[in-house]
Amino acid sequence: MPTLRTVLSIPLLVAALLLSPALSPDTSGTATTAGSTDAVLPRLVTEGGAPAAALLDRIRTGPGRVSRYADTGPGIARTDHFRAGSITKTFVAVVVLQLAAEHRLSLDDTVDRHLPGLLRPARTAGPRSRSRSGSGSDSGSGSPPDGRRITLRQLLTHTSGLPDFTQVTAGAVPLTPPQAVGLALTLPPAPRGHYSYSSTNYVLLGMVIRQVTGHSYAAEAQRRIIAPLGLAGTSFPGSRRSLPAPHGHAFAADGSDVTELDPRVAGAAGELVTTLDDLDRFYAALLDGELLTPHWLREMKDTRAAQGEYGMGLYPTRLPCGVTVWGHNGRISGSYVRTAATADGGHVLTFRVNTDAMADHRLEPALLAAEFCPRTW
């Protein structure tokens, strides 16, 4: 997600990292990065303005793993269920890539092949526009979206040029998938072939999954990912507004309680409810090759189509120390969460705050660097 997704290369100075959170260590072990993340985590509250924050990391050590949990601020716990927003996109991308591996679809299929007539130039209007990540053009730059030219690969990599329906809804209006797509088509398109993050892409992929399999993206993700990995705290709630127990409260930027929420504000682009443990397990398994063959995992991590910004439901972040981590973030009303992992899934970190706003965007890259960069001080 664009605003918190950009990593700023900032130095980690000892003098800036002096606070300590309330800690709840996992009895299975202690991560080697404990000291540095302990210093950064409370800053998400004191400087970032979050009511509370928590993190959980997992590090492979020989045949097993050690993990460590920490939190700061009231009303947050390791076992909480929370909304994960756009981390849903990683799950949807895995389902699409598995279907491609089964030859039930091709990434080079057009949208029109699976959803004929849904995207047509006559249905959209608006001036030409440019994506934030590039000013180049191809034959489709700035032109009205046409499902006969947009491919599934472009949906996966956010290079379709489709506008983001959440620009209008601000993630607060429940919509059916056709309504979300129809709303997006009233907005000016971005240049096709250039990276421009849009939740509309993944709403369409959810529709494609149903068309190909006869089942919803939620049912396919349950069968292919959630059940095999034993992600007992992960679900797609559909229209259910409440969170499963246990859970804390979620707060909007203005401080209002938004724990109750209709997940149809996001659908296949951000419906997921999960836990810290489940997200660490999911990304570790994905990057370790448990869900995709090496060929399809390479496809997922290929960022060339998006000019290095994004793969397929995953994006890389290069930290100041030169380490590159892979993962995704998610923001939905009342929740922000980020998972990052080394390329082989051997070291995974998930952190969350119980609000969708953080006042200081430098804190996320600082926390990632504290977790994954070797300590040099």
Side-chain angles (χ1 to χ4, degrees):
M1 302 172 75
T3 53
L4 285 180
R5 137 133 182 54
T6 303
V7 171
L8 306 175
S9 295
I10 60 173
L12 296 177
L13 301 178
V14 180
L17 304 178
L18 297 178
L19 299 174
S20 297
L23 300 179
S24 301
D26 185 343
T27 56
S28 62
T30 301
T32 58
T33 53
S36 49
T37 55
D38 288 358
V40 182
L41 184 67
R43 295 174 60 198
L44 300 179
V45 174
T46 59
E47 298 173 33
L55 65 79
L56 180 69
D57 66 18
R58 290 163 52 102
I59 301 177
R60 186 187 298 132
T61 56
R65 288 178 181 267
V66 296
S67 62
R68 180 177 177 278
Y69 171 77
D71 63 40
T72 183
I76 200 166
R78 175 172 178 164
T79 55
D80 282 348
H81 295 81
F82 54 86
R83 305 187 194 282
S86 286
I87 281 181
T88 308
K89 292 179 173 70
T90 312
F91 284 73
V92 169
V94 169
V95 172
V96 172
L97 291 168
Q98 287 186 352
L99 291 171
E102 295 163 9
H103 306 290
R104 300 177 70 179
L105 56 76
S106 167
L107 301 189
D108 295 320
D109 287 348
T110 63
V111 172
D112 210 61
R113 175 168 182 174
H114 299 285
L115 304 170
L118 183 64
L119 302 180
R120 283 290 186 268
R123 298 182 62 185
T124 184
R128 294 169 65 92
S129 66
R130 296 188 181 276
S131 78
R132 69 174 181 86
S133 60
S135 58
S137 64
D138 68 6
S139 59
S141 292
S143 58
D146 186 341
R148 294 165 295 187
R149 303 185 61 163
I150 295 171
T151 66
L152 303 188
R153 186 184 301 275
Q154 290 173 327
L155 297 181
L156 285 162
T157 58
H158 294 293
T159 57
S160 68
L162 284 164
D164 192 338
F165 72 93
T166 65
Q167 293 178 36
V168 177
T169 66
V173 180
L175 299 172
T176 66
Q179 287 172 336
V181 174
L183 185 59
L185 294 179
T186 67
L187 301 171
R192 184 164 55 85
H194 288 259
Y195 174 73
S196 183
Y197 189 94
S198 172
S199 287
T200 309
N201 293 311
Y202 278 74
V203 169
L204 280 165
L205 288 168
M207 297 173 73
V208 169
I209 290 169
R210 178 178 285 279
Q211 187 67 23
V212 170
T213 67
H215 306 121
S216 69
Y217 63 86
E220 287 296 314
Q222 174 68 35
R223 181 174 71 85
R224 295 168 175 271
I225 303 170
I226 295 172
L229 295 182
L231 307 181
T234 299
S235 63
F236 291 85
S239 60
R240 187 179 70 244
R241 297 176 58 90
S242 60
L243 287 168
H247 66 81
H249 287 267
F251 301 95
D254 63 3
S256 59
D257 192 311
V258 290
T259 308
E260 296 274 321
L261 178 73
D262 191 326
R264 291 173 296 181
V265 300
E271 177 190 343
L272 194 74
V273 168
T274 189
T275 66
L276 292 172
D277 279 280
D278 278 7
L279 286 184
D280 275 6
R281 167 71 178 124
F282 167 64
Y283 280 97
L286 171 61
L287 292 165
D288 193 35
E290 292 186 41
L291 296 172
L292 297 170
T293 65
H295 168 79
W296 291 106
L297 189 54
R298 284 194 300 272
E299 285 276 356
M300 192 177 201
K301 294 165 70 175
D302 187 344
T303 65
R304 289 175 296 178
Q307 297 84 52
E309 295 282 334
Y310 200 90
M312 298 180 183
L314 283 176
Y315 61 80
T317 300
R318 185 173 175 83
L319 301 176
C321 61
V323 172
T324 295
V325 291
W326 290 85
H328 213 288
N329 64 352
R331 182 188 295 106
I332 194 168
S333 186
S335 179
Y336 181 78
V337 58
R338 172 75 154 97
T339 301
T342 51
D344 65 353
H347 183 174
V348 188
L349 168 74
T350 299
F351 80 87
R352 61 174 288 244
V353 294
N354 56 354
T355 183
D356 50 290
M358 281 202 295
D360 190 341
H361 294 171
R362 296 173 300 175
L363 297 175
E364 178 174 328
L367 186 62
L368 295 183
E371 176 75 20
F372 292 99
C373 289
R375 294 177 63 180
T376 57
W377 42 267

